[in-house]
Amino acid sequence: MRRILGFALLSILFSTTVMAAQNSQTFYLATPARAGNIQLPRGIYEVTWSAPSKSRVTLTIKTEDKKTFKILSRVIEGKQDRIGVITSVVDGVSYLQELHTSNAKFILQNGIEGAK
C-alpha cells in the first residue's frame, strides 16, 4: 500500500513540474531594453506565464537579482521555428517587442509602434 501511495505522490509531483516547465522560459537580453515602462538591464531573465485568457496573458519577468515585473502581452500559441527575443529601437530607445518560446510567441504590449 505504501508503495502505491508513494508512486502516486511521485507521479503528481512529476506532472506538476512538467506543467510548470511548459509555462516558463529563460532568455538572455544582450542589450538593455524597455518592456512597457520597465527598464531591463542586459542579463539573463526567467519569464513565466499562466494559461492565457483568450489571446492575452500576463508575463512575469524575474531578473538575475530576483526582482519581478509583470507585463501584459498577446500570445500566439503554436510551434515556433526559433527561440529568443526580438527588440526594436524607436526614437533611440530599445524596446523588448517579442518573446519566442518553443510553443508560443508573446507580443509585448509596450504602447509603442515598431520601427518601420
Side-chain angles (χ1 to χ4, degrees):
M1 184 66 158
R2 283 187 181 191
R3 205 176 289 164
I4 293 172
L5 181 60
F7 181 71
L9 183 59
L10 186 60
S11 296
I12 291 169
L13 290 174
F14 179 72
S15 64
T16 303
T17 303
V18 169
M19 287 177 63
Q22 292 175 347
N23 289 341
S24 68
Q25 177 75 40
T26 301
F27 71 93
Y28 176 69
L29 190 58
T31 59
R34 293 190 63 79
N37 60 357
I38 302 160
Q39 181 66 39
L40 300 173
R42 178 179 157 216
I44 298 171
Y45 294 88
E46 181 180 345
V47 177
T48 57
W49 59 92
S50 58
S53 172
K54 297 188 181 182
S55 65
R56 303 279 185 212
V57 68
T58 299
L59 299 177
T60 302
I61 300 174
K62 184 187 236 183
T63 65
E64 289 178 290
D65 59 356
K66 308 297 183 210
K67 293 180 183 176
T68 59
F69 305 98
K70 294 185 185 276
I71 188 163
L72 186 63
S73 72
R74 187 167 51 102
V75 62
I76 300 171
E77 295 184 284
K79 184 147 180 74
Q80 301 297 311
D81 59 348
R82 61 184 173 186
I83 295 174
V85 298
I86 294 178
T87 59
S88 66
V89 178
V90 177
D91 295 330
V93 178
S94 181
Y95 288 91
L96 181 60
Q97 290 292 126
E98 296 179 9
L99 171 65
H100 295 222
T101 67
S102 60
N103 57 1
K105 175 170 48 171
F106 299 93
I107 302 168
L108 280 66
Q109 304 299 297
N110 282 318
I112 55 114
E113 289 295 319
K116 305 248 187 241

Tab-separated table of all heavy atoms in Angstrom, residues 10-56:
chain	number	residue	atom	x	y	z
A	10	LEU	N	4.626	10.584	-6.278
A	10	LEU	CA	5.708	10.896	-7.197
A	10	LEU	C	5.169	11.295	-8.570
A	10	LEU	O	5.645	12.240	-9.195
A	10	LEU	CB	6.648	9.699	-7.331
A	10	LEU	CG	7.912	9.908	-8.147
A	10	LEU	CD1	8.766	11.006	-7.538
A	10	LEU	CD2	8.696	8.615	-8.225
A	11	SER	N	4.141	10.616	-9.038
A	11	SER	CA	3.515	10.942	-10.320
A	11	SER	C	2.910	12.337	-10.313
A	11	SER	O	3.039	13.095	-11.273
A	11	SER	CB	2.425	9.929	-10.670
A	11	SER	OG	2.986	8.663	-10.854
A	12	ILE	N	2.247	12.683	-9.225
A	12	ILE	CA	1.638	14.016	-9.105
A	12	ILE	C	2.718	15.098	-9.114
A	12	ILE	O	2.603	16.096	-9.813
A	12	ILE	CB	0.764	14.113	-7.839
A	12	ILE	CG1	-0.480	13.231	-7.999
A	12	ILE	CG2	0.378	15.555	-7.552
A	12	ILE	CD1	-1.268	13.064	-6.713
A	13	LEU	N	3.785	14.895	-8.357
A	13	LEU	CA	4.863	15.881	-8.308
A	13	LEU	C	5.540	16.024	-9.664
A	13	LEU	O	5.846	17.131	-10.107
A	13	LEU	CB	5.896	15.490	-7.249
A	13	LEU	CG	5.444	15.619	-5.805
A	13	LEU	CD1	6.509	15.056	-4.872
A	13	LEU	CD2	5.137	17.053	-5.457
A	14	PHE	N	5.748	14.923	-10.367
A	14	PHE	CA	6.385	14.969	-11.679
A	14	PHE	C	5.510	15.717	-12.686
A	14	PHE	O	5.986	16.546	-13.431
A	14	PHE	CB	6.696	13.560	-12.182
A	14	PHE	CG	7.324	13.560	-13.534
A	14	PHE	CD1	8.638	13.991	-13.705
A	14	PHE	CD2	6.616	13.164	-14.650
A	14	PHE	CE1	9.217	14.004	-14.954
A	14	PHE	CE2	7.187	13.184	-15.907
A	14	PHE	CZ	8.499	13.602	-16.059
A	15	SER	N	4.215	15.433	-12.684
A	15	SER	CA	3.327	16.105	-13.646
A	15	SER	C	3.228	17.598	-13.358
A	15	SER	O	3.141	18.407	-14.266
A	15	SER	CB	1.942	15.460	-13.662
A	15	SER	OG	1.305	15.626	-12.423
A	16	THR	N	3.255	17.992	-12.087
A	16	THR	CA	3.233	19.411	-11.735
A	16	THR	C	4.505	20.096	-12.218
A	16	THR	O	4.456	21.204	-12.751
A	16	THR	CB	3.086	19.585	-10.213
A	16	THR	OG1	1.905	18.915	-9.803
A	16	THR	CG2	3.011	21.035	-9.826
A	17	THR	N	5.646	19.437	-12.070
A	17	THR	CA	6.911	20.007	-12.529
A	17	THR	C	6.914	20.155	-14.041
A	17	THR	O	7.349	21.169	-14.572
A	17	THR	CB	8.084	19.103	-12.092
A	17	THR	OG1	8.039	18.972	-10.682
A	17	THR	CG2	9.417	19.678	-12.519
A	18	VAL	N	6.418	19.171	-14.760
A	18	VAL	CA	6.368	19.248	-16.215
A	18	VAL	C	5.461	20.383	-16.660
A	18	VAL	O	5.794	21.145	-17.559
A	18	VAL	CB	5.911	17.895	-16.815
A	18	VAL	CG1	5.597	18.038	-18.295
A	18	VAL	CG2	6.975	16.842	-16.592
A	19	MET	N	4.299	20.534	-16.025
A	19	MET	CA	3.384	21.611	-16.385
A	19	MET	C	4.016	22.966	-16.121
A	19	MET	O	3.867	23.891	-16.911
A	19	MET	CB	2.072	21.480	-15.622
A	19	MET	CG	1.213	20.339	-16.131
A	19	MET	SD	-0.281	20.125	-15.174
A	19	MET	CE	-1.110	21.652	-15.454
A	20	ALA	N	4.718	23.116	-14.998
A	20	ALA	CA	5.364	24.393	-14.689
A	20	ALA	C	6.461	24.694	-15.695
A	20	ALA	O	6.654	25.843	-16.083
A	20	ALA	CB	5.924	24.365	-13.273
A	21	ALA	N	7.191	23.679	-16.130
A	21	ALA	CA	8.272	23.893	-17.092
A	21	ALA	C	7.730	24.355	-18.436
A	21	ALA	O	8.402	25.070	-19.169
A	21	ALA	CB	9.080	22.617	-17.252
A	22	GLN	N	6.533	23.968	-18.809
A	22	GLN	CA	5.959	24.375	-20.077
A	22	GLN	C	5.559	25.843	-20.050
A	22	GLN	O	5.381	26.445	-21.103
A	22	GLN	CB	4.744	23.514	-20.407
A	22	GLN	CG	5.105	22.075	-20.705
A	22	GLN	CD	3.874	21.222	-20.916
A	22	GLN	OE1	2.760	21.637	-20.623
A	22	GLN	NE2	4.075	20.020	-21.410
A	23	ASN	N	5.379	26.440	-18.893
A	23	ASN	CA	4.947	27.826	-18.773
A	23	ASN	C	6.066	28.728	-18.277
A	23	ASN	O	5.818	29.692	-17.566
A	23	ASN	CB	3.735	27.935	-17.859
A	23	ASN	CG	2.498	27.364	-18.499
A	23	ASN	OD1	2.428	27.202	-19.704
A	23	ASN	ND2	1.529	27.041	-17.692
A	24	SER	N	7.293	28.417	-18.651
A	24	SER	CA	8.410	29.285	-18.288
A	24	SER	C	9.499	29.169	-19.348
A	24	SER	O	9.581	28.177	-20.062
A	24	SER	CB	8.962	28.919	-16.905
A	24	SER	OG	9.589	27.664	-16.943
A	25	GLN	N	10.298	30.211	-19.420
A	25	GLN	CA	11.390	30.245	-20.393
A	25	GLN	C	12.475	31.159	-19.850
A	25	GLN	O	12.185	32.216	-19.299
A	25	GLN	CB	10.891	30.786	-21.737
A	25	GLN	CG	11.947	30.941	-22.794
A	25	GLN	CD	12.364	29.614	-23.393
A	25	GLN	OE1	11.520	28.766	-23.626
A	25	GLN	NE2	13.638	29.432	-23.622
A	26	THR	N	13.712	30.760	-19.985
A	26	THR	CA	14.841	31.603	-19.634
A	26	THR	C	15.376	32.204	-20.926
A	26	THR	O	15.457	31.517	-21.942
A	26	THR	CB	15.931	30.771	-18.937
A	26	THR	OG1	15.379	30.186	-17.761
A	26	THR	CG2	17.117	31.636	-18.553
A	27	PHE	N	15.693	33.490	-20.893
A	27	PHE	CA	16.254	34.121	-22.083
A	27	PHE	C	17.336	35.109	-21.690
A	27	PHE	O	17.420	35.559	-20.556
A	27	PHE	CB	15.176	34.789	-22.946
A	27	PHE	CG	14.561	36.034	-22.358
A	27	PHE	CD1	15.079	37.270	-22.659
A	27	PHE	CD2	13.462	35.944	-21.527
A	27	PHE	CE1	14.514	38.426	-22.118
A	27	PHE	CE2	12.892	37.086	-20.989
A	27	PHE	CZ	13.418	38.323	-21.277
A	28	TYR	N	18.183	35.416	-22.651
A	28	TYR	CA	19.288	36.344	-22.458
A	28	TYR	C	18.999	37.611	-23.246
A	28	TYR	O	18.711	37.559	-24.437
A	28	TYR	CB	20.595	35.712	-22.942
A	28	TYR	CG	21.776	36.645	-22.876
A	28	TYR	CD1	22.299	37.042	-21.651
A	28	TYR	CD2	22.364	37.135	-24.027
A	28	TYR	CE1	23.379	37.904	-21.585
A	28	TYR	CE2	23.450	37.995	-23.977
A	28	TYR	CZ	23.940	38.370	-22.743
A	28	TYR	OH	25.009	39.229	-22.666
A	29	LEU	N	19.064	38.725	-22.563
A	29	LEU	CA	18.884	40.028	-23.192
A	29	LEU	C	20.281	40.627	-23.376
A	29	LEU	O	20.952	40.955	-22.400
A	29	LEU	CB	18.005	40.909	-22.310
A	29	LEU	CG	17.503	42.213	-22.886
A	29	LEU	CD1	16.697	41.980	-24.160
A	29	LEU	CD2	16.637	42.932	-21.866
A	30	ALA	N	20.728	40.735	-24.637
A	30	ALA	CA	22.101	41.147	-24.931
A	30	ALA	C	22.363	42.627	-24.680
A	30	ALA	O	23.492	43.023	-24.397
A	30	ALA	CB	22.446	40.800	-26.378
A	31	THR	N	21.331	43.459	-24.801
A	31	THR	CA	21.468	44.890	-24.565
A	31	THR	C	20.315	45.355	-23.683
A	31	THR	O	19.252	44.740	-23.677
A	31	THR	CB	21.425	45.688	-25.883
A	31	THR	OG1	20.188	45.422	-26.539
A	31	THR	CG2	22.572	45.311	-26.802
A	32	PRO	N	20.491	46.433	-22.950
A	32	PRO	CA	19.379	46.946	-22.138
A	32	PRO	C	18.188	47.294	-23.019
A	32	PRO	O	18.351	47.739	-24.156
A	32	PRO	CB	19.954	48.208	-21.486
A	32	PRO	CG	21.430	48.071	-21.582
A	32	PRO	CD	21.699	47.243	-22.807
A	33	ALA	N	16.978	47.059	-22.501
A	33	ALA	CA	15.768	47.358	-23.271
A	33	ALA	C	14.621	47.657	-22.320
A	33	ALA	O	14.641	47.250	-21.155
A	33	ALA	CB	15.404	46.179	-24.170
A	34	ARG	N	13.625	48.350	-22.836
A	34	ARG	CA	12.422	48.639	-22.066
A	34	ARG	C	11.371	47.587	-22.390
A	34	ARG	O	11.240	47.159	-23.525
A	34	ARG	CB	11.887	50.023	-22.383
A	34	ARG	CG	12.833	51.122	-21.900
A	34	ARG	CD	12.221	52.486	-21.975
A	34	ARG	NE	11.070	52.669	-21.124
A	34	ARG	CZ	11.100	52.908	-19.808
A	34	ARG	NH1	12.239	52.946	-19.192
A	34	ARG	NH2	9.999	53.104	-19.140
A	35	ALA	N	10.628	47.211	-21.364
A	35	ALA	CA	9.462	46.335	-21.521
A	35	ALA	C	8.325	47.068	-20.830
A	35	ALA	O	8.266	47.129	-19.603
A	35	ALA	CB	9.703	44.972	-20.889
A	36	GLY	N	7.442	47.686	-21.627
A	36	GLY	CA	6.423	48.540	-21.033
A	36	GLY	C	7.107	49.760	-20.443
A	36	GLY	O	7.894	50.428	-21.103
A	37	ASN	N	6.870	50.031	-19.164
A	37	ASN	CA	7.534	51.172	-18.512
A	37	ASN	C	8.696	50.721	-17.627
A	37	ASN	O	9.148	51.458	-16.772
A	37	ASN	CB	6.517	51.978	-17.690
A	37	ASN	CG	5.875	51.140	-16.601
A	37	ASN	OD1	6.138	49.960	-16.485
A	37	ASN	ND2	5.026	51.760	-15.801
A	38	ILE	N	9.189	49.501	-17.855
A	38	ILE	CA	10.269	48.931	-17.048
A	38	ILE	C	11.554	48.903	-17.867
A	38	ILE	O	11.561	48.433	-19.005
A	38	ILE	CB	9.908	47.491	-16.622
A	38	ILE	CG1	8.606	47.484	-15.841
A	38	ILE	CG2	11.029	46.872	-15.807
A	38	ILE	CD1	7.946	46.129	-15.805
A	39	GLN	N	12.631	49.405	-17.300
A	39	GLN	CA	13.935	49.347	-17.956
A	39	GLN	C	14.632	48.070	-17.505
A	39	GLN	O	14.883	47.876	-16.324
A	39	GLN	CB	14.783	50.567	-17.596
A	39	GLN	CG	16.142	50.583	-18.256
A	39	GLN	CD	16.078	50.718	-19.762
A	39	GLN	OE1	15.256	51.456	-20.300
A	39	GLN	NE2	16.924	49.998	-20.449
A	40	LEU	N	14.915	47.184	-18.456
A	40	LEU	CA	15.591	45.922	-18.156
A	40	LEU	C	17.060	46.029	-18.548
A	40	LEU	O	17.372	46.327	-19.702
A	40	LEU	CB	14.949	44.769	-18.937
A	40	LEU	CG	13.478	44.499	-18.666
A	40	LEU	CD1	12.945	43.453	-19.640
A	40	LEU	CD2	13.287	44.036	-17.236
A	41	PRO	N	17.981	45.805	-17.605
A	41	PRO	CA	19.391	45.826	-17.977
A	41	PRO	C	19.763	44.544	-18.729
A	41	PRO	O	19.008	43.574	-18.745
A	41	PRO	CB	20.108	45.890	-16.623
A	41	PRO	CG	19.153	45.310	-15.650
A	41	PRO	CD	17.773	45.607	-16.184
A	42	ARG	N	20.907	44.564	-19.344
A	42	ARG	CA	21.422	43.376	-20.023
A	42	ARG	C	21.531	42.239	-19.007
A	42	ARG	O	21.923	42.465	-17.873
A	42	ARG	CB	22.793	43.727	-20.574
A	42	ARG	CG	23.487	42.629	-21.246
A	42	ARG	CD	24.826	43.122	-21.763
A	42	ARG	NE	25.653	41.945	-21.900
A	42	ARG	CZ	26.931	41.895	-21.667
A	42	ARG	NH1	27.564	42.965	-21.268
A	42	ARG	NH2	27.595	40.789	-21.832
A	43	GLY	N	21.149	41.017	-19.383
A	43	GLY	CA	21.284	39.896	-18.466
A	43	GLY	C	20.385	38.723	-18.802
A	43	GLY	O	19.764	38.669	-19.865
A	44	ILE	N	20.315	37.788	-17.861
A	44	ILE	CA	19.520	36.575	-18.011
A	44	ILE	C	18.224	36.754	-17.232
A	44	ILE	O	18.239	37.185	-16.079
A	44	ILE	CB	20.298	35.357	-17.498
A	44	ILE	CG1	21.576	35.171	-18.326
A	44	ILE	CG2	19.437	34.100	-17.552
A	44	ILE	CD1	22.522	34.134	-17.786
A	45	TYR	N	17.108	36.382	-17.862
A	45	TYR	CA	15.786	36.549	-17.269
A	45	TYR	C	15.009	35.249	-17.344
A	45	TYR	O	15.179	34.470	-18.281
A	45	TYR	CB	14.993	37.637	-18.009
A	45	TYR	CG	15.593	39.004	-17.836
A	45	TYR	CD1	16.577	39.467	-18.693
A	45	TYR	CD2	15.196	39.819	-16.791
A	45	TYR	CE1	17.141	40.705	-18.522
A	45	TYR	CE2	15.755	41.060	-16.614
A	45	TYR	CZ	16.732	41.505	-17.478
A	45	TYR	OH	17.289	42.730	-17.296
A	46	GLU	N	14.152	35.052	-16.355
A	46	GLU	CA	13.208	33.939	-16.395
A	46	GLU	C	11.815	34.529	-16.545
A	46	GLU	O	11.422	35.403	-15.778
A	46	GLU	CB	13.280	33.113	-15.124
A	46	GLU	CG	12.328	31.940	-15.144
A	46	GLU	CD	12.381	31.112	-13.882
A	46	GLU	OE1	13.325	31.257	-13.095
A	46	GLU	OE2	11.452	30.321	-13.690
A	47	VAL	N	11.094	34.066	-17.544
A	47	VAL	CA	9.740	34.552	-17.806
A	47	VAL	C	8.771	33.409	-17.547
A	47	VAL	O	8.986	32.292	-18.016
A	47	VAL	CB	9.595	35.052	-19.253
A	47	VAL	CG1	8.168	35.480	-19.534
A	47	VAL	CG2	10.544	36.193	-19.512
A	48	THR	N	7.724	33.685	-16.786
A	48	THR	CA	6.675	32.697	-16.546
A	48	THR	C	5.342	33.323	-16.924
A	48	THR	O	5.199	34.538	-16.962
A	48	THR	CB	6.640	32.243	-15.071
A	48	THR	OG1	6.460	33.379	-14.236
A	48	THR	CG2	7.914	31.524	-14.681
A	49	TRP	N	4.374	32.451	-17.195
A	49	TRP	CA	3.035	32.909	-17.540
A	49	TRP	C	2.042	31.848	-17.146
A	49	TRP	O	2.365	30.676	-17.002
A	49	TRP	CB	2.930	33.230	-19.030
A	49	TRP	CG	3.247	32.068	-19.922
A	49	TRP	CD1	2.379	31.159	-20.440
A	49	TRP	CD2	4.549	31.677	-20.392
A	49	TRP	NE1	3.041	30.231	-21.195
A	49	TRP	CE2	4.376	30.525	-21.184
A	49	TRP	CE3	5.828	32.184	-20.205
A	49	TRP	CZ2	5.440	29.877	-21.801
A	49	TRP	CZ3	6.887	31.537	-20.821
A	49	TRP	CH2	6.693	30.408	-21.599
A	50	SER	N	0.792	32.295	-16.954
A	50	SER	CA	-0.285	31.364	-16.644
A	50	SER	C	-1.037	31.063	-17.930
A	50	SER	O	-0.713	31.583	-18.991
A	50	SER	CB	-1.209	31.964	-15.592
A	50	SER	OG	-1.715	33.189	-16.066
A	51	ALA	N	-2.058	30.232	-17.830
A	51	ALA	CA	-2.858	29.901	-19.007
A	51	ALA	C	-3.458	31.182	-19.573
A	51	ALA	O	-3.956	32.024	-18.833
A	51	ALA	CB	-3.959	28.913	-18.639
A	52	PRO	N	-3.415	31.351	-20.884
A	52	PRO	CA	-3.939	32.587	-21.472
A	52	PRO	C	-5.447	32.711	-21.362
A	52	PRO	O	-6.164	31.725	-21.337
A	52	PRO	CB	-3.512	32.495	-22.935
A	52	PRO	CG	-3.147	31.086	-23.179
A	52	PRO	CD	-2.852	30.455	-21.865
A	53	SER	N	-5.900	33.949	-21.252
A	53	SER	CA	-7.324	34.264	-21.291
A	53	SER	C	-7.575	34.823	-22.682
A	53	SER	O	-7.166	35.949	-22.982
A	53	SER	CB	-7.657	35.288	-20.217
A	53	SER	OG	-8.978	35.734	-20.357
A	54	LYS	N	-8.197	34.024	-23.527
A	54	LYS	CA	-8.336	34.329	-24.961
A	54	LYS	C	-6.927	34.455	-25.522
A	54	LYS	O	-6.170	33.507	-25.464
A	54	LYS	CB	-9.208	35.537	-25.194
A	54	LYS	CG	-10.626	35.322	-24.721
A	54	LYS	CD	-11.520	36.442	-25.133
A	54	LYS	CE	-12.913	36.144	-24.588
A	54	LYS	NZ	-13.862	37.130	-24.963
A	55	SER	N	-6.534	35.592	-26.037
A	55	SER	CA	-5.185	35.720	-26.580
A	55	SER	C	-4.300	36.611	-25.709
A	55	SER	O	-3.222	37.019	-26.122
A	55	SER	CB	-5.242	36.282	-27.998
A	55	SER	OG	-5.737	37.598	-27.973
A	56	ARG	N	-4.735	36.904	-24.497
A	56	ARG	CA	-3.968	37.769	-23.585
A	56	ARG	C	-3.375	36.952	-22.441
A	56	ARG	O	-3.984	36.003	-21.961
A	56	ARG	CB	-4.864	38.850	-22.979
A	56	ARG	CG	-5.542	39.714	-23.989
A	56	ARG	CD	-4.615	40.773	-24.479
A	56	ARG	NE	-5.329	41.675	-25.377
A	56	ARG	CZ	-4.751	42.276	-26.377
A	56	ARG	NH1	-3.491	42.103	-26.608
A	56	ARG	NH2	-5.440	43.071	-27.153
